[in-house]
Amino acid sequence: NAMSDPDELRIFGMAQLNRINAKEYTGTIEIAGRPELLLGVPLFLKSEDIIVYIKAITHQFDFGQSFTTTINF
């Protein structure tokens, strides 16, 4: 089932370029708790003006308090 719609092709091409470019960046950040984040989704790091892909997520909870999310990309 080949793509033939120009809009689909453009979106696919942009996604592929984003994935290739994202491989250049690796690291870890810790932020305020974000339970909605998912593995493999793009994450824009505004301070660096880059898009990375989430490779691992961990959450640190202390009962009755706020929590943190650590993201590996």
Side-chain angles (χ1 to χ4, degrees):
N1 190 9
M3 286 187 276
S4 59
D5 178 54
D7 288 332
E8 285 181 349
L9 291 169
R10 182 181 57 78
I11 292 168
F12 178 77
M14 289 173 54
Q16 290 298 94
L17 284 173
N18 284 339
R19 286 199 179 277
I20 290 166
N21 290 336
K23 291 180 182 177
E24 296 180 23
Y25 306 104
T26 60
T28 302
I29 58 171
E30 185 174 302
I31 60 174
R34 295 280 306 273
E36 73 279 6
L37 294 175
L38 302 170
L39 295 177
V41 299
L43 179 67
F44 178 65
L45 300 179
K46 186 175 182 177
S47 63
E48 303 298 323
D49 193 32
I50 60 173
I51 296 173
V52 298
Y53 286 84
I54 299 173
K55 294 180 181 173
I57 302 169
T58 56
H59 302 286
Q60 177 64 44
F61 295 89
D62 287 322
F63 185 74
Q65 297 187 20
S66 60
F67 70 98
T68 60
T69 297
T70 301
I71 303 167
N72 295 329
F73 56 90

